[in-house]
Amino acid sequence: MTKPDMNHMHLRRLNLNLLYTLDAILNSDSLTDAGRLIRLSQPAMSVAFKKLKDQFDDELIIYLSGNRVLTPLAEKLKPRVKRILVELNETFNLQIDFDPKTSRKTFRLAASESLATMLLGRVVPRMLMEAENINVVVSSLNNTTQAELFEKGADMVITPQSSLDPNFPSLELMTDRLSCMVWEHHPLIKSSITLEEYLAARHVAVSETLDLSSRAGEILSQRRIVATTSRYGTLPELIIGTDLVATGSSWVLQYYASMLPVKVVTLPFPTEQTAVFAQWPDHRTSDPAHHWLMAHVSGFTETHRKAHAIARGKK
């Protein structure tokens, strides 16, 4: 028997259910927690764990000074096993068509907090109106790479161009730039703001990374920031009834201005446009469910891109 034949026989003897057990063990703090995760008793987990150690000829878990540590092999297995399980799940749930009226699919989307607020906050309700039985899970990026998010089952990641991963398909959704937002009854700022007024104002800022190397960045670094928040969602609450000025994504600020007593004002200095993209794993490209999702996302951005352009043209 040749070596490839022997490897094939070895693979056939592998119980694929052990992959779920292995994934649980590699991502839990103990065998008990792993067993609870996949609903296996402690004795059954011990038997499965022994089989896995025999399969890989490796201890997988060791204890150093009382601390539970993955072996080097286990560390390498961890992301690969997760990726395999995602692909297995996709294989056994593959659809040749997609009917939103009957589907019970769970769509998993990831975006920054600001994009989730403005974009997904409008798109997801429309999806749920058309497909009453689906589930939608929206998570934040949290400095996680697209590869890691897709390994965890994400169907789509919405990200600025600066964070694009060239290894995955992508589609530009819209372009954005910075604007500022104030209370609609701001005591000094009406329909426009001068550079002198901007620099003299008290500011509230979102704790996000901004490019301070450009001319716009130099001006932004001179702001007198008196309040900082980690969430775009708190900006309106901070500025309504005050003289504070908030600077951020024009799209997000316009979203708030459409609902709340705030107004968006063009910044008194030039800023660069940034593009926002959708990315997804390769195997989703031909999936009818992905096409339906993309139609909702890109359809929303196309409609509002035109409205946004008209609004800017009128100013």
Side-chain angles (χ1 to χ4, degrees), residues 151-312:
E151 285 176 1
K152 294 177 180 178
D155 297 299
M156 182 180 291
V157 173
I158 299 176
T159 182
Q161 185 173 9
S162 59
S163 299
L164 272 179
D165 187 328
N167 296 311
F168 298 102
S170 63
L171 176 71
E172 182 178 326
L173 297 176
M174 61 186 186
T175 56
D176 196 11
R177 67 170 65 247
L178 293 176
S179 290
C180 65
M181 179 175 70
V182 297
W183 180 36
E184 68 177 6
H185 301 300
H186 192 283
L188 298 176
I189 300 170
K190 304 306 178 184
S191 59
S192 63
I193 183 173
T194 67
L195 181 59
E196 183 180 8
E197 289 172 331
Y198 184 82
L199 292 176
R202 299 189 304 159
H203 291 259
V204 55
V206 179
S207 54
E208 62 179 359
T209 302
L210 294 176
D211 181 10
L212 301 181
S213 61
S214 62
R215 169 59 179 157
E218 292 178 9
I219 296 174
L220 290 171
S221 66
Q222 298 176 45
R223 288 175 296 171
R224 182 160 64 100
I225 297 173
V226 298
T228 303
T229 175
S230 61
R231 298 182 61 250
Y232 260 89
T234 59
L235 286 179
E237 298 176 22
L238 288 168
I239 70 170
I240 292 174
T242 75
D243 63 350
L244 296 177
V245 175
T247 301
S249 160
S250 180
W251 278 76
V252 180
L253 301 187
Q254 290 286 1
Y255 170 71
Y256 292 136
S258 69
M259 303 180 293
L260 300 169
V262 296
K263 57 188 176 184
V264 178
V265 180
T266 301
L267 287 170
F269 50 89
T271 60
E272 293 183 1
Q273 282 194 340
T274 58
V276 176
F277 284 76
Q279 285 206 281
W280 58 91
D282 291 284
H283 65 270
R284 290 288 188 196
T285 301
S286 301
D287 184 356
H290 169 76
H291 295 167
W292 180 82
L293 170 63
M294 181 57 74
H296 271 276
V297 174
S298 60
F300 169 81
T301 54
E302 176 63 26
T303 299
H304 286 264
R305 185 188 298 116
K306 293 177 181 178
H308 202 62
I310 292 173
R312 289 184 63 85

